[in-house]
Amino acid sequence: LKGAFLLRMLRWTLGDRAFFDGLRDYLNDTSLQYSFAHVSDLQAHLEASGNTNLNYFFNQWYYGQGYPSFNVTWQQNINNYAFITIRQTTSDPSVTFFKVPLALTFKNGTQSKTFIVNDSANNQSAVLDIGFTADTVLIDPDKQLISKNNHSAKLQPASTILNDIKIMPNPFRGRLSVIINNPGRQQWLFQVYSTEGKKLFSQNFHTPGADASLNISLPLNLPAGIYFLKIDAGDIHIVKKMIKAQPY
């Protein structure tokens, strides 16, 4: 059963054309006909057809053991961009992380949209333009991967503090100021991401007191474009859209 599912996952990883071209070349390989064939022979033909290296795939799925479990947390801003974080645990220590193309389907009562995120590192983040307000995320809805105990959760921003957070100026050109009134006595984590989900800046700040305002100046040496500021503190999770303007 696992052998059949490995072929299904290879097809999902490579795409139909590369997968079937590789199988056809493997079956028509005259050096293997009426002789012994090894897994490495199949791998070589699939790699050639897909112009890729599949060592990681066979190491984690064929030679390794176990399966991944995915935990996806996400939140959506008023512009319908979704900020997601994918965390992964594995069932067997022989594989510490499964590198996979992971399908995520965002949906509400009438709409749905599927994205494929190349999950290549634990705690990976991405920003996705959903185009509508979603209320649910389905992980690997078509069961393309061997996985179990997957979980998704939508993080709700702390609405009571949204009005107490000001980002200015926005658009900005040089430094960006973040002002938080009544921040509480806790640690705040500020992270800046590109629209592709690449982390560009990360820094922790401690509030001087429960009632003191937190005024932070972020030196963001970034090219002009759209970015996202992710703010986390305790149960507060907020994503703000920022625009870096062209220089004068």
Side-chain angles (χ1 to χ4, degrees):
L1 179 60
K2 183 178 179 180
F5 219 110
L6 288 185
L7 290 174
R8 176 178 174 84
M9 289 191 292
L10 278 168
R11 179 180 177 183
W12 170 246
T13 300
L14 289 169
D16 282 359
R17 181 170 182 175
F19 176 74
F20 287 112
D21 284 351
L23 287 186
R24 189 176 299 108
D25 293 341
Y26 171 70
L27 293 173
N28 293 330
D29 189 339
T30 56
S31 67
L32 299 177
Q33 290 176 349
Y34 309 107
S35 182
F36 291 101
H38 301 277
V39 172
S40 58
D41 298 315
L42 173 62
Q43 179 181 340
H45 281 289
L46 292 174
E47 288 179 336
S49 64
N51 192 27
T52 188
N53 188 312
L54 292 173
N55 281 338
Y56 77 91
F57 181 95
F58 284 89
N59 286 338
Q60 64 191 25
W61 290 115
Y62 183 78
Y63 300 106
Q65 300 182 52
Y67 54 84
S69 296
F70 300 101
N71 186 304
V72 177
T73 54
W74 63 288
Q75 59 187 141
Q76 196 169 8
N77 65 13
I78 59 175
N79 299 310
N80 290 328
Y81 281 90
F83 188 97
I84 68 168
T85 300
I86 305 171
R87 296 177 177 86
Q88 185 186 127
T89 57
T90 63
S91 64
D92 190 276
S94 64
V95 180
T96 58
F97 181 84
F98 286 86
K99 177 183 174 182
V100 296
L102 181 64
L104 300 174
T105 297
F106 292 77
K107 60 180 298 186
N108 59 25
T110 59
Q111 297 169 287
S112 68
K113 191 172 184 179
T114 299
F115 298 84
I116 298 174
V117 179
N118 289 316
D119 192 20
S120 57
N122 217 347
N123 296 313
Q124 180 172 326
S125 297
V127 180
L128 307 174
D129 185 2
I130 307 302
F132 61 89
T133 302
D135 54 32
T136 304
V137 170
L138 303 179
I139 301 172
D140 187 27
D142 295 324
K143 301 294 186 292
Q144 301 287 359
L145 304 171
I146 297 175
S147 65
K148 190 178 180 181
N149 301 324
N150 299 326
H151 179 72
S152 67
K154 185 175 185 179
L155 301 177
Q156 299 293 343
S159 58
T160 57
I161 201 171
L162 285 178
N163 294 330
D164 290 331
I165 297 180
K166 294 181 174 58
I167 299 175
M168 53 194 303
N170 192 16
F172 69 100
R173 284 188 168 84
R175 302 177 75 89
L176 181 74
S177 293
V178 181
I179 302 172
I180 304 176
N181 296 317
N182 305 313
R185 194 182 299 276
Q186 58 188 326
Q187 177 175 282
W188 291 74
L189 174 61
F190 292 79
Q191 299 175 94
V192 175
Y193 289 84
S194 68
T195 54
E196 292 78 27
K198 182 179 180 181
K199 186 188 297 183
L200 305 172
F201 175 89
S202 179
Q203 191 167 344
N204 286 295
F205 296 90
H206 292 273
T207 53
D211 300 324
S213 294
L214 184 63
N215 193 332
I216 300 163
S217 180
L218 303 178
L220 300 177
N221 185 20
L222 301 169
I226 297 174
Y227 300 91
F228 294 91
L229 174 64
K230 187 170 186 286
I231 304 173
D232 295 284
D235 61 350
I236 298 169
H237 309 282
I238 299 168
V239 175
K240 295 269 192 176
K241 181 181 178 181
M242 311 180 306
I243 299 175
K244 175 69 179 289
Q246 295 283 355
Y248 291 112

